[in-house]
Amino acid sequence: MELKTIIENAWENRELLKEKDVEIAIKTVIEDLDKGKIRVAEPLENGEWQVNDWVKKAVILYFPIQKMRTIEVGPFEFHDKMALKADYAKQGVRVVPHAVARYGAFLAKGVVMMPSYVNIGAYVDGGTMVDTWATVGSCAQIGKDVHLSGGVGIGGVLEPVQAAPVIIEDGAFVGSRAIIVEGVRVGKEAVIGAGVTLTASSKIIDVTGDEPKEYRGYVPPRSVVIPGSITKKFAAGEYQVPCALIIGQRKESTDRKTSLNEALRENNVAV
């Protein structure tokens, strides 16, 4: 029986978690995630993404079959069900103390982790910087050459269970203390300004044209995004509620760093 079928059956009937072949199947999926052989979500040739729900279910099912244990790292002690990643040098990943990545998260060659956290099921592609105190939530998908600035919060999909992970595509820049959750997808080379909060219900309004254009859950490629607010009527009156504003486009360039600096300077985006 293939892995997908075993996982789907165990998802519907948790009594199957007691069976050895089911336990082996779940652990095999987590090992494959850790090595980047499979992903919770993967890009398609048409630019869209395919979410592999059964892989996400395997991550969730991994918790009940694991036992709590004490992990000692020098003078530090932890008590958890999950092991931490290891063999960073062999993988070509730079990990600065006190960065932590859980076993079952994939870090590609060239990733740099400042003191930060990457949760199980996440995929972080090559050349990406996970800056100080940034967090990459469970099953989040982070592309190549992405910069997650200090304090960025990328949401996970385990609690509560959601349909799709957060996806940050290649070359995107996410400014300090930005929060991106609930399956939001940020397109290639987009620039998310400091303090922007994006949820599945957040209004993302392109104000660069004659008429506003609204998105939800998706930031188009190369968009430059800043925090904004819109007026909303309540029983007690009209109040300002948060939104995100697309105020420009990052210019195409083979030099992404130059392109980023130009976008920030031209649009006065704080990072």
Side-chain angles (χ1 to χ4, degrees):
M1 191 182 301
E2 66 174 12
L3 287 175
K4 181 178 179 180
T5 302
I6 296 173
I7 299 301
E8 293 286 9
N9 290 342
W11 182 259
E12 296 300 325
N13 180 10
R14 301 302 170 91
E15 288 296 314
L16 295 176
L17 294 177
K18 300 175 183 178
E19 298 184 4
K20 190 64 178 179
D21 63 330
V22 174
E23 180 181 337
I24 292 172
I26 294 170
K27 290 182 176 180
T28 299
V29 172
I30 303 305
E31 181 179 356
D32 286 348
L33 279 169
D34 189 78
K35 294 179 178 178
K37 293 181 178 180
I38 60 173
R39 300 174 63 166
V40 170
E42 53 193 321
L44 303 176
E45 291 184 359
N46 63 2
E48 296 302 315
W49 283 75
Q50 173 182 295
V51 178
N52 301 316
D53 286 337
W54 71 275
V55 179
K56 182 178 61 175
K57 290 174 181 176
V59 174
I60 297 170
L61 293 174
Y62 186 57
F63 285 83
I65 67 171
Q66 291 294 103
K67 291 181 171 58
M68 294 291 290
R69 64 190 182 94
T70 296
I71 304 171
E72 294 184 354
V73 184
F76 299 98
E77 181 180 300
F78 306 92
H79 191 228
D80 191 23
K81 292 184 174 185
M82 304 296 172
L84 302 180
K85 284 187 73 68
D87 297 325
Y88 288 117
K90 183 178 180 180
Q91 297 167 45
V93 177
R94 179 184 173 194
V95 181
V96 178
H98 295 277
V100 173
R102 263 177 161 177
Y103 173 71
F106 175 71
L107 304 176
K109 183 178 181 180
V111 167
V112 177
M113 285 183 63
M114 299 303 285
S116 55
Y117 182 79
V118 178
N119 207 349
I120 185 173
Y123 187 104
V124 184
D125 216 336
T128 286
M129 163 73 80
V130 185
D131 221 327
T132 305
W133 307 135
T135 57
V136 179
S138 55
C139 303
Q141 305 293 297
I142 312 297
K144 290 181 172 65
D145 301 319
V146 170
H147 190 133
L148 304 179
S149 300
V152 162
I154 303 298
V157 293
L158 295 185
E159 296 179 1
V161 177
Q162 297 160 325
V166 173
I167 296 170
I168 311 294
E169 296 185 345
D170 296 353
F173 180 94
V174 184
S176 300
R177 306 296 176 185
I179 299 172
I180 304 175
V181 297
E182 295 179 353
V184 170
R185 175 182 163 196
V186 175
K188 290 183 178 180
E189 299 187 12
V191 178
I192 308 299
V196 171
T197 296
L198 299 177
T199 72
S201 60
S202 297
K203 289 188 176 183
I204 303 166
I205 306 171
D206 187 337
V207 296
T208 60
D210 295 334
E211 296 291 335
K213 183 177 182 180
E214 185 176 311
Y215 299 89
R216 288 180 190 255
Y218 175 63
V219 175
R222 295 190 298 278
S223 296
V224 178
V225 184
I226 65 169
S229 64
I230 55 174
T231 303
K232 186 172 181 179
K233 292 183 179 180
F234 297 91
E238 294 185 354
Y239 295 89
Q240 297 297 308
V241 297
C243 70
L245 301 178
I246 298 174
I247 61 168
Q249 291 289 307
R250 178 172 171 173
K251 291 182 179 180
E252 289 190 70
S253 171
T254 54
D255 183 345
R256 286 176 175 166
K257 184 175 181 181
T258 299
S259 175
L260 172 60
N261 289 336
E262 288 176 355
L264 299 177
R265 181 171 61 252
E266 292 174 3
N267 295 285
N268 296 316
V269 177
V271 295

